[in-house]
Amino acid sequence: MKVFEASQIREIDEYTILHEPVSSIDLMERAATGCADWLSSYVKTGDHLKVFAGPGNNGGDGWAIARILAARGYRHIGIYLLQISKIISADSVVNRRRLEQQKKVPVFEISRESDFPVIDNNDIIIDALFGSGLSRPLEGLSGALVNHINASGCNIVAIDIPSGLRTDDQGAKSGNAVIKASHTITFEFPKRSFFFAENAIFTGRWHIISINLHPAIISEMATSFQYLLMENIQKVFRQRAKFSHKGLYGHALLIAGSYGMAGAAILAARAALRAGVGLLTTHVPGSVYPIIQGAVPESIFDIDKDKNFFSALENTKHFSAVGIGPGIGTMDVSLNAFESMLKNADCPFVIDADALNMLSQNPELLRYLPVHSILTPHPGEFDRLAGKSDSGYLRNQKQIEFSKKYKVIVLLKGAYTSITMPDGTCFYNSTGNPGMSTAGSGDVLIGIILSLLAQGYPHSDAALLGAFIHGLAGDLAASEIGQQALIATDIIDYLGKTFLKIENHEHYA
């Protein structure tokens, strides 16, 4: 699913109106009906609703939603117009007239703070003040009203985007007035600002509804941002041929583990095998070998000459892909071995954990990264690599520039894991849950990606598939055992069900 900037969304709306053709008021009716349908499943007819409408088209949605809900039997609705401008959008004027002709919903106007209504704890607020076209912080009466609504502690449903939050940039800065919605109903596409941690307090749970914008313009319009969905994964996922053998599915090398960190190697190795690699060689220090041999009998093992740390590897020419980092530590002997590997690389690399830490401690090594290497940092690791960022938005911008500068793929782990490509394209993953915030989850991820890369998937597909599969396995595990109890081993154990879901073209939302 494409993710567009605010100006592009306006262009798509205009194209739809011109080429469907459909009038702008009818397109607004379509959007309002979709919102009313969602609200009808969330709000009881006896609940008390307060709809706050602004002067623009977002306010027009609010007028139409109030009218449609009233026609469906909702008896306790009031609509409040924020009077901050003499200019009211034409479609908003039409929808106000339609509501007043219905004579079921009282209308109140807010032109000063003394007009703010008393909001009861059990009221449900519909925020239709400002939409995705907002380009400046809310101040004065608008900001005061937003703060008054937030102070109520009520459930708030935002239409299109929480008022005060911007579509394209980092959105709210400290001290800005922004609606803190429990739910956000957005049209056709998510907004880019929805993917950043600092904005979760404003968006709540967000829901995409289709208003049938014209498919031609959506298909043709270019964007650097995508939301990764099951349909994308099913297009690139490869079914196995009848006459397959292990030689067709690659030979991966995993360098992992150190004294006291055998678990990282075990998790990554088991994940790589579960993800379908033909052969796996796991390189571990001598102290790790007795532990991992029994835990992962399917792997071949290459034992380091150092008892406790990764210290040397002759070459990687026999392998389809190399994964390095989980639990290896950052000792000088490991750094020297890692540097030698990078300078003599002859196959794709997946780089995680301590290998990332060695890169951040020795940034001169970045120039030796093989083109299209896949780096899998969490935010802290990425900040050490690229410099500290004050927001998820700014970190994402740095991530894009980092990928372009070093010609690598960066998979930045988080609630909506972002994957950036050397050409500047950015994908946001749709799978995963907070239960996956647990020790070893990242080790599982590198194992999955390493496996896919070794099997011959293009670098970009391996990264996208890996992120999606990892998150979906976590979601399937959480659906049966809950998020609280989820551990990294559960993600591995649910990989089989994950692959079946993808192979069988099952729906996932």
Side-chain angles (χ1 to χ4, degrees):
M1 180 181 290
K2 292 182 175 181
V3 178
F4 294 106
E5 297 177 354
S7 60
Q8 292 177 302
I9 294 171
R10 286 193 296 273
E11 188 176 339
I12 292 168
D13 286 346
E14 291 166 1
Y15 185 97
T16 301
I17 290 166
L18 183 63
H19 290 86
E20 185 173 333
V22 61
S23 66
S24 60
I25 191 68
D26 288 340
L27 186 60
M28 182 176 287
E29 188 75 5
R30 195 184 293 174
T33 300
C35 292
D37 290 344
W38 187 93
L39 287 162
S40 294
S41 67
Y42 178 71
V43 182
K44 299 181 180 65
T45 54
D47 286 340
H48 290 248
L49 284 77
K50 287 183 168 64
V51 181
F52 289 89
N57 281 342
N58 195 243
D61 292 333
W63 292 104
I65 290 167
R67 169 175 46 80
I68 294 167
L69 289 177
R72 294 182 182 183
Y74 286 81
R75 304 181 302 277
H76 308 292
I77 306 174
I79 189 162
Y80 298 81
L81 173 63
L82 178 61
Q83 290 276 36
I84 55 168
S85 173
K86 294 180 179 179
I87 302 173
I88 308 294
S89 78
D91 289 342
S92 188
V93 170
V94 171
N95 269 317
R96 175 173 183 169
R97 186 183 309 121
R98 289 177 177 177
L99 178 81
E100 291 175 335
Q101 288 170 349
Q102 187 190 47
K103 297 182 179 178
K104 290 185 176 182
V105 177
V107 176
F108 306 92
E109 295 187 353
I110 297 174
S111 57
R112 58 183 69 85
E113 290 192 29
S114 59
D115 296 329
F116 291 174
V118 174
I119 303 175
D120 296 327
N121 289 338
N122 59 351
D123 285 346
I124 293 173
I125 305 298
I126 298 176
D127 163 35
L129 288 168
F130 301 97
S132 58
L134 190 71
S135 59
R136 62 183 185 277
L138 295 181
E139 301 173 323
L141 188 63
S142 302
L145 178 58
V146 165
N147 291 332
H148 176 70
I149 292 169
N150 285 339
S152 70
C154 293
N155 282 331
I156 304 171
V157 179
I159 306 303
D160 188 33
I161 190 170
S163 293
L165 184 63
R166 284 184 261 171
T167 301
D168 304 326
D169 63 9
Q170 64 265 48
K173 295 183 175 68
S174 178
N176 286 0
V178 182
I179 284 289
K180 296 178 179 177
S182 309
H183 296 271
T184 298
I185 307 172
T186 197
F187 304 130
E188 213 73 58
F189 331 98
K191 310 298 190 286
R192 189 177 168 213
S193 56
F194 292 2
F195 297 115
F196 305 126
E198 62 267 19
N199 295 331
I201 191 174
F202 307 121
T203 62
R205 294 185 61 187
W206 47 269
H207 315 269
I208 302 170
I209 63 170
S210 176
I211 56 173
N212 297 317
L213 295 176
H214 205 291
I217 185 66
I218 295 171
S219 176
E220 293 169 7
M221 184 169 287
T223 175
S224 296
F225 303 99
Q226 303 270 349
Y227 186 40
L228 189 61
L229 301 173
M230 176 67 93
E231 63 194 65
N232 307 115
I233 296 306
Q234 289 168 337
K235 287 176 183 176
V236 299
F237 182 77
R238 301 172 181 175
Q239 300 280 357
R240 295 204 167 197
K242 180 70 173 177
F243 290 92
S244 293
H245 56 82
K246 63 186 177 185
L248 296 175
Y249 298 106
H251 188 173
L253 171 65
L254 172 67
I255 301 166
S258 59
Y259 181 76
M261 294 295 288
I266 292 169
L267 289 168
R270 289 189 62 217
L273 289 159
R274 279 288 187 202
V277 70
L279 289 165
L280 173 69
T281 292
T282 307
H283 182 95
V284 294
S287 62
V288 173
Y289 172 66
I291 303 170
I292 195 172
Q293 172 70 78
V296 194
E298 299 89 350
S299 179
I300 304 164
F301 291 96
D302 185 52
I303 304 171
D304 199 283
K305 63 183 180 181
D306 192 294
K307 183 179 180 181
N308 295 322
F309 298 100
F310 167 53
S311 67
L313 191 73
E314 287 188 10
N315 62 65
T316 60
K317 65 182 180 181
H318 300 300
F319 300 103
S320 311
V322 175
I324 182 169
I328 64 172
T330 58
M331 302 292 287
D332 286 345
V333 66
S334 301
L335 171 63
N336 292 335
F338 181 39
E339 180 177 357
S340 177
M341 285 185 66
L342 289 178
K343 289 179 177 179
N344 297 284
D346 46 21
C347 66
F349 270 62
V350 188
I351 300 172
D352 184 43
D354 285 327
L356 292 172
N357 290 330
M358 285 190 278
L359 287 176
S360 62
Q361 293 164 12
N362 303 274
E364 68 277 4
L365 296 183
L366 291 170
R367 69 179 185 272
Y368 298 117
L369 288 174
V371 173
H372 293 107
S373 293
I374 302 172
L375 282 62
T376 60
H378 57 60
E381 289 167 337
F382 183 75
D383 282 359
R384 290 193 288 273
L385 270 175
K388 186 172 176 57
S389 299
D390 293 331
S391 68
Y393 167 80
L394 293 174
R395 185 175 294 111
N396 188 217
Q397 292 295 99
K398 282 188 178 180
Q399 179 189 357
I400 293 167
E401 293 307 313
F402 189 96
S403 284
K404 291 165 66 175
K405 179 178 180 179
Y406 294 105
K407 297 180 174 57
V408 296
I409 297 167
V410 178
L411 189 154
L412 182 59
K413 293 176 282 197
Y416 297 101
T417 290
S418 52
I419 307 104
T420 52
M421 303 296 171
D423 66 356
T425 306
C426 177
F427 295 81
Y428 302 102
N429 187 36
S430 62
T431 61
N433 64 82
M436 299 173 71
S437 303
T438 185
S441 179
D443 302 326
V444 174
L445 176 63
I446 186 179
I448 295 169
I449 296 173
L450 171 63
S451 179
L452 296 168
L453 197 57
Q455 289 173 58
Y457 280 96
H459 301 76
S460 57
D461 288 352
L464 298 175
L465 275 165
F468 189 92
I469 288 166
H470 180 254
L472 181 52
D475 288 343
L476 294 177
S479 70
E480 295 190 16
I481 64 174
Q483 295 182 8
Q484 193 75 22
L486 196 152
I487 59 174
T489 301
D490 297 321
I491 302 171
I492 300 171
D493 291 344
Y494 278 82
L495 283 174
K497 290 185 176 181
T498 299
F499 285 116
L500 282 174
K501 202 171 187 70
I502 294 170
E503 289 170 5
N504 295 333
H505 287 80
E506 294 180 23
H507 176 70
Y508 175 79

